[in-house]
PDB file of all heavy atoms in Angstrom:
ATOM      1  N   ASP A  62      -4.886 -10.283  91.249  1.00 87.00           N
ATOM      2  CA  ASP A  62      -5.706 -10.688  90.109  1.00 87.00           C
ATOM      3  C   ASP A  62      -7.145 -10.908  90.561  1.00 87.00           C
ATOM      4  O   ASP A  62      -7.389 -11.462  91.637  1.00 87.00           O
ATOM      5  CB  ASP A  62      -5.205 -12.016  89.520  1.00 87.00           C
ATOM      6  CG  ASP A  62      -3.862 -11.875  88.848  1.00 87.00           C
ATOM      7  OD1 ASP A  62      -3.502 -10.746  88.474  1.00 87.00           O
ATOM      8  OD2 ASP A  62      -3.167 -12.901  88.701  1.00 87.00           O
ATOM      9  N   GLU A  90      -2.152 -20.359  94.363  1.00 97.00           N
ATOM     10  CA  GLU A  90      -2.304 -18.981  93.887  1.00 97.00           C
ATOM     11  C   GLU A  90      -3.554 -18.346  94.489  1.00 97.00           C
ATOM     12  O   GLU A  90      -3.591 -17.134  94.721  1.00 97.00           O
ATOM     13  CB  GLU A  90      -2.405 -18.943  92.351  1.00 97.00           C
ATOM     14  CG  GLU A  90      -2.556 -17.522  91.831  1.00 97.00           C
ATOM     15  CD  GLU A  90      -2.804 -17.403  90.335  1.00 97.00           C
ATOM     16  OE1 GLU A  90      -2.814 -18.426  89.637  1.00 97.00           O
ATOM     17  OE2 GLU A  90      -2.980 -16.267  89.874  1.00 97.00           O
ATOM     18  N   ASP A 109      -0.917 -23.755  90.969  1.00 98.00           N
ATOM     19  CA  ASP A 109      -1.696 -22.746  90.258  1.00 98.00           C
ATOM     20  C   ASP A 109      -2.907 -23.531  89.747  1.00 98.00           C
ATOM     21  O   ASP A 109      -2.819 -24.223  88.724  1.00 98.00           O
ATOM     22  CB  ASP A 109      -0.864 -22.187  89.093  1.00 98.00           C
ATOM     23  CG  ASP A 109      -1.638 -21.201  88.247  1.00 98.00           C
ATOM     24  OD1 ASP A 109      -2.827 -20.985  88.517  1.00 98.00           O
ATOM     25  OD2 ASP A 109      -1.030 -20.656  87.304  1.00 98.00           O
ATOM     26  N   LEU A 111      -5.649 -22.834  88.283  1.00 98.00           N
ATOM     27  CA  LEU A 111      -6.165 -22.512  86.951  1.00 98.00           C
ATOM     28  C   LEU A 111      -5.226 -21.489  86.324  1.00 98.00           C
ATOM     29  O   LEU A 111      -5.194 -20.334  86.742  1.00 98.00           O
ATOM     30  CB  LEU A 111      -7.594 -21.964  87.081  1.00 98.00           C
ATOM     31  CG  LEU A 111      -8.541 -22.146  85.911  1.00 98.00           C
ATOM     32  CD1 LEU A 111      -8.173 -21.249  84.741  1.00 98.00           C
ATOM     33  CD2 LEU A 111      -8.619 -23.604  85.425  1.00 98.00           C
ATOM     34  N   ASP A 112      -4.444 -21.953  85.386  1.00 98.00           N
ATOM     35  CA  ASP A 112      -3.494 -21.079  84.708  1.00 98.00           C
ATOM     36  C   ASP A 112      -4.101 -20.570  83.405  1.00 98.00           C
ATOM     37  O   ASP A 112      -4.758 -21.330  82.690  1.00 98.00           O
ATOM     38  CB  ASP A 112      -2.207 -21.869  84.407  1.00 98.00           C
ATOM     39  CG  ASP A 112      -1.214 -21.022  83.650  1.00 98.00           C
ATOM     40  OD1 ASP A 112      -0.811 -19.973  84.174  1.00 98.00           O
ATOM     41  OD2 ASP A 112      -0.861 -21.394  82.509  1.00 98.00           O
ATOM     42  N   GLY A 113      -3.867 -19.300  83.132  1.00 98.00           N
ATOM     43  CA  GLY A 113      -4.399 -18.727  81.895  1.00 98.00           C
ATOM     44  C   GLY A 113      -5.803 -18.180  82.089  1.00 98.00           C
ATOM     45  O   GLY A 113      -6.650 -18.248  81.181  1.00 98.00           O
ATOM     46  N   SER A 114      -6.043 -17.607  83.277  1.00 96.00           N
ATOM     47  CA  SER A 114      -7.413 -17.204  83.645  1.00 96.00           C
ATOM     48  C   SER A 114      -8.082 -16.270  82.642  1.00 96.00           C
ATOM     49  O   SER A 114      -9.306 -16.295  82.492  1.00 96.00           O
ATOM     50  CB  SER A 114      -7.406 -16.512  85.010  1.00 96.00           C
ATOM     51  OG  SER A 114      -7.016 -17.429  85.978  1.00 96.00           O
ATOM     52  N   SER A 115      -7.290 -15.438  81.953  1.00 96.00           N
ATOM     53  CA  SER A 115      -7.919 -14.496  81.015  1.00 96.00           C
ATOM     54  C   SER A 115      -8.537 -15.231  79.822  1.00 96.00           C
ATOM     55  O   SER A 115      -9.297 -14.651  79.057  1.00 96.00           O
ATOM     56  CB  SER A 115      -6.908 -13.442  80.537  1.00 96.00           C
ATOM     57  OG  SER A 115      -5.984 -14.034  79.647  1.00 96.00           O
ATOM     58  N   ASN A 203       4.625 -11.493  75.192  1.00 98.00           N
ATOM     59  CA  ASN A 203       3.530 -10.546  75.027  1.00 98.00           C
ATOM     60  C   ASN A 203       4.138  -9.214  74.594  1.00 98.00           C
ATOM     61  O   ASN A 203       4.576  -8.413  75.423  1.00 98.00           O
ATOM     62  CB  ASN A 203       2.752 -10.400  76.347  1.00 98.00           C
ATOM     63  CG  ASN A 203       1.563  -9.464  76.184  1.00 98.00           C
ATOM     64  OD1 ASN A 203       1.499  -8.688  75.225  1.00 98.00           O
ATOM     65  ND2 ASN A 203       0.632  -9.527  77.117  1.00 98.00           N
ATOM     66  N   ASN A 206       3.850  -5.372  75.728  1.00 98.00           N
ATOM     67  CA  ASN A 206       4.631  -4.772  76.824  1.00 98.00           C
ATOM     68  C   ASN A 206       5.985  -4.264  76.348  1.00 98.00           C
ATOM     69  O   ASN A 206       6.823  -3.856  77.161  1.00 98.00           O
ATOM     70  CB  ASN A 206       4.850  -5.797  77.945  1.00 98.00           C
ATOM     71  CG  ASN A 206       3.539  -6.298  78.518  1.00 98.00           C
ATOM     72  OD1 ASN A 206       2.603  -5.513  78.658  1.00 98.00           O
ATOM     73  ND2 ASN A 206       3.458  -7.575  78.836  1.00 98.00           N
ATOM     74  N   TRP A 237       1.674 -16.566  71.063  1.00 98.00           N
ATOM     75  CA  TRP A 237       1.384 -16.196  72.458  1.00 98.00           C
ATOM     76  C   TRP A 237      -0.030 -16.641  72.756  1.00 98.00           C
ATOM     77  O   TRP A 237      -0.987 -16.105  72.195  1.00 98.00           O
ATOM     78  CB  TRP A 237       1.527 -14.676  72.675  1.00 98.00           C
ATOM     79  CG  TRP A 237       1.353 -14.260  74.099  1.00 98.00           C
ATOM     80  CD1 TRP A 237       0.272 -13.606  74.648  1.00 98.00           C
ATOM     81  CD2 TRP A 237       2.264 -14.455  75.179  1.00 98.00           C
ATOM     82  NE1 TRP A 237       0.476 -13.393  75.999  1.00 98.00           N
ATOM     83  CE2 TRP A 237       1.695 -13.909  76.350  1.00 98.00           C
ATOM     84  CE3 TRP A 237       3.531 -15.064  75.278  1.00 98.00           C
ATOM     85  CZ2 TRP A 237       2.322 -13.939  77.595  1.00 98.00           C
ATOM     86  CZ3 TRP A 237       4.156 -15.081  76.517  1.00 98.00           C
ATOM     87  CH2 TRP A 237       3.554 -14.519  77.646  1.00 98.00           C
ATOM     88  N   ALA A 239      -1.380 -16.789  75.902  1.00 98.00           N
ATOM     89  CA  ALA A 239      -1.854 -16.221  77.175  1.00 98.00           C
ATOM     90  C   ALA A 239      -2.148 -17.286  78.217  1.00 98.00           C
ATOM     91  O   ALA A 239      -2.819 -17.015  79.212  1.00 98.00           O
ATOM     92  CB  ALA A 239      -3.056 -15.295  76.981  1.00 98.00           C
ATOM     93  N   ALA A 240      -1.666 -18.492  77.978  1.00 98.00           N
ATOM     94  CA  ALA A 240      -1.705 -19.548  79.004  1.00 98.00           C
ATOM     95  C   ALA A 240      -0.322 -20.197  78.986  1.00 98.00           C
ATOM     96  O   ALA A 240       0.061 -20.839  77.999  1.00 98.00           O
ATOM     97  CB  ALA A 240      -2.780 -20.574  78.714  1.00 98.00           C
ATOM     98  N   LEU A 241       0.396 -20.007  80.080  1.00 98.00           N
ATOM     99  CA  LEU A 241       1.755 -20.549  80.171  1.00 98.00           C
ATOM    100  C   LEU A 241       1.796 -22.036  79.830  1.00 98.00           C
ATOM    101  O   LEU A 241       2.710 -22.511  79.154  1.00 98.00           O
ATOM    102  CB  LEU A 241       2.248 -20.286  81.603  1.00 98.00           C
ATOM    103  CG  LEU A 241       3.563 -20.868  82.038  1.00 98.00           C
ATOM    104  CD1 LEU A 241       4.698 -20.387  81.171  1.00 98.00           C
ATOM    105  CD2 LEU A 241       3.820 -20.499  83.506  1.00 98.00           C
ATOM    106  N   ASP A 244       1.769 -22.616  76.036  1.00 98.00           N
ATOM    107  CA  ASP A 244       3.054 -22.250  75.440  1.00 98.00           C
ATOM    108  C   ASP A 244       4.136 -23.263  75.834  1.00 98.00           C
ATOM    109  O   ASP A 244       5.000 -23.610  75.025  1.00 98.00           O
ATOM    110  CB  ASP A 244       3.449 -20.831  75.868  1.00 98.00           C
ATOM    111  CG  ASP A 244       2.614 -19.752  75.168  1.00 98.00           C
ATOM    112  OD1 ASP A 244       2.345 -19.898  73.965  1.00 98.00           O
ATOM    113  OD2 ASP A 244       2.216 -18.781  75.832  1.00 98.00           O
ATOM    114  N   PHE A 255      10.197 -19.098  75.256  1.00 98.00           N
ATOM    115  CA  PHE A 255       9.120 -18.331  75.898  1.00 98.00           C
ATOM    116  C   PHE A 255       9.781 -17.314  76.813  1.00 98.00           C
ATOM    117  O   PHE A 255      10.719 -17.649  77.549  1.00 98.00           O
ATOM    118  CB  PHE A 255       8.240 -19.275  76.717  1.00 98.00           C
ATOM    119  CG  PHE A 255       7.219 -18.587  77.598  1.00 98.00           C
ATOM    120  CD1 PHE A 255       5.882 -18.540  77.236  1.00 98.00           C
ATOM    121  CD2 PHE A 255       7.594 -18.007  78.811  1.00 98.00           C
ATOM    122  CE1 PHE A 255       4.938 -17.912  78.053  1.00 98.00           C
ATOM    123  CE2 PHE A 255       6.651 -17.382  79.636  1.00 98.00           C
ATOM    124  CZ  PHE A 255       5.318 -17.336  79.253  1.00 98.00           C
ATOM    125  N   TYR A 257       8.747 -14.258  79.735  1.00 98.00           N
ATOM    126  CA  TYR A 257       7.949 -13.267  80.467  1.00 98.00           C
ATOM    127  C   TYR A 257       8.931 -12.548  81.380  1.00 98.00           C
ATOM    128  O   TYR A 257       9.137 -12.922  82.530  1.00 98.00           O
ATOM    129  CB  TYR A 257       6.771 -13.848  81.245  1.00 98.00           C
ATOM    130  CG  TYR A 257       5.655 -12.797  81.344  1.00 98.00           C
ATOM    131  CD1 TYR A 257       4.378 -13.047  80.887  1.00 98.00           C
ATOM    132  CD2 TYR A 257       5.930 -11.517  81.846  1.00 98.00           C
ATOM    133  CE1 TYR A 257       3.392 -12.063  80.926  1.00 98.00           C
ATOM    134  CE2 TYR A 257       4.959 -10.529  81.883  1.00 98.00           C
ATOM    135  CZ  TYR A 257       3.700 -10.806  81.417  1.00 98.00           C
ATOM    136  OH  TYR A 257       2.745  -9.819  81.450  1.00 98.00           O
ATOM    137  N   ARG A 269       5.429 -11.309  85.601  1.00 97.00           N
ATOM    138  CA  ARG A 269       4.059 -11.606  86.047  1.00 97.00           C
ATOM    139  C   ARG A 269       3.965 -12.974  86.736  1.00 97.00           C
ATOM    140  O   ARG A 269       3.081 -13.207  87.553  1.00 97.00           O
ATOM    141  CB  ARG A 269       3.142 -11.597  84.810  1.00 97.00           C
ATOM    142  CG  ARG A 269       1.790 -12.187  85.017  1.00 97.00           C
ATOM    143  CD  ARG A 269       0.776 -11.726  84.014  1.00 97.00           C
ATOM    144  NE  ARG A 269      -0.490 -12.404  84.199  1.00 97.00           N
ATOM    145  CZ  ARG A 269      -1.311 -12.199  85.223  1.00 97.00           C
ATOM    146  NH1 ARG A 269      -0.998 -11.349  86.161  1.00 97.00           N
ATOM    147  NH2 ARG A 269      -2.443 -12.875  85.314  1.00 97.00           N
ATOM    148  N   LEU A 270       4.857 -13.874  86.377  1.00 98.00           N
ATOM    149  CA  LEU A 270       4.687 -15.275  86.789  1.00 98.00           C
ATOM    150  C   LEU A 270       5.263 -15.527  88.175  1.00 98.00           C
ATOM    151  O   LEU A 270       6.209 -14.860  88.602  1.00 98.00           O
ATOM    152  CB  LEU A 270       5.329 -16.189  85.745  1.00 98.00           C
ATOM    153  CG  LEU A 270       4.759 -15.958  84.338  1.00 98.00           C
ATOM    154  CD1 LEU A 270       5.514 -16.751  83.300  1.00 98.00           C
ATOM    155  CD2 LEU A 270       3.268 -16.320  84.313  1.00 98.00           C
ATOM    156  N   ARG A 271       4.680 -16.493  88.861  1.00 98.00           N
ATOM    157  CA  ARG A 271       5.040 -16.758  90.250  1.00 98.00           C
ATOM    158  C   ARG A 271       6.009 -17.930  90.341  1.00 98.00           C
ATOM    159  O   ARG A 271       5.838 -18.965  89.693  1.00 98.00           O
ATOM    160  CB  ARG A 271       3.774 -17.039  91.080  1.00 98.00           C
ATOM    161  CG  ARG A 271       2.986 -15.797  91.513  1.00 98.00           C
ATOM    162  CD  ARG A 271       2.538 -14.887  90.387  1.00 98.00           C
ATOM    163  NE  ARG A 271       1.745 -15.512  89.368  1.00 98.00           N
ATOM    164  CZ  ARG A 271       0.430 -15.368  89.213  1.00 98.00           C
ATOM    165  NH1 ARG A 271      -0.249 -14.566  89.997  1.00 98.00           N
ATOM    166  NH2 ARG A 271      -0.215 -15.980  88.231  1.00 98.00           N
ATOM    167  N   GLU A 275       4.494 -21.519  89.270  1.00 98.00           N
ATOM    168  CA  GLU A 275       4.565 -21.375  87.813  1.00 98.00           C
ATOM    169  C   GLU A 275       5.995 -21.620  87.324  1.00 98.00           C
ATOM    170  O   GLU A 275       6.266 -22.591  86.613  1.00 98.00           O
ATOM    171  CB  GLU A 275       4.047 -19.993  87.379  1.00 98.00           C
ATOM    172  CG  GLU A 275       2.548 -19.873  87.626  1.00 98.00           C
ATOM    173  CD  GLU A 275       1.931 -18.550  87.206  1.00 98.00           C
ATOM    174  OE1 GLU A 275       2.505 -17.482  87.495  1.00 98.00           O
ATOM    175  OE2 GLU A 275       0.841 -18.565  86.621  1.00 98.00           O
TER     176      GLU A 275
HETATM  177  O1  FBP B 401      -1.921 -11.353  80.265  1.00 55.42           O
HETATM  178  P1  FBP B 401      -0.469 -11.488  80.018  1.00 55.42           P
HETATM  179  O2  FBP B 401       0.361 -10.368  80.593  1.00 55.42           O
HETATM  180  O3  FBP B 401      -0.140 -11.759  78.571  1.00 55.42           O
HETATM  181  O4  FBP B 401       0.010 -12.758  80.854  1.00 55.42           O
HETATM  182  C1  FBP B 401      -0.282 -14.043  80.450  1.00 55.42           C
HETATM  183  C2  FBP B 401       0.395 -14.958  81.390  1.00 55.42           C
HETATM  184  O5  FBP B 401      -0.239 -14.833  82.655  1.00 55.42           O
HETATM  185  C3  FBP B 401      -0.772 -16.067  83.055  1.00 55.42           C
HETATM  186  O6  FBP B 401      -2.124 -16.141  82.663  1.00 55.42           O
HETATM  187  C4  FBP B 401      -0.646 -16.102  84.564  1.00 55.42           C
HETATM  188  O7  FBP B 401      -1.311 -17.170  85.135  1.00 55.42           O
HETATM  189  P2  FBP B 401      -2.725 -17.048  85.901  1.00 55.42           P
HETATM  190  O8  FBP B 401      -3.805 -17.000  84.865  1.00 55.42           O
HETATM  191  O9  FBP B 401      -2.693 -18.331  86.682  1.00 55.42           O
HETATM  192  O10 FBP B 401      -2.673 -15.839  86.789  1.00 55.42           O
HETATM  193  C5  FBP B 401       0.046 -17.111  82.262  1.00 55.42           C
HETATM  194  O11 FBP B 401      -0.626 -18.308  82.046  1.00 55.42           O
HETATM  195  C6  FBP B 401       0.300 -16.396  80.954  1.00 55.42           C
HETATM  196  O12 FBP B 401       1.491 -16.826  80.334  1.00 55.42           O
END
Side-chain angles (χ1 to χ4, degrees):
D62 291 339
E90 180 186 357
D109 176 357
L111 207 288
D112 178 59
S114 295
S115 72
N203 183 342
N206 300 322
W237 185 253
L241 173 59
D244 287 320
F255 171 103
Y257 209 123
R269 166 159 176 71
L270 304 173
R271 280 57 56 105
E275 292 181 315

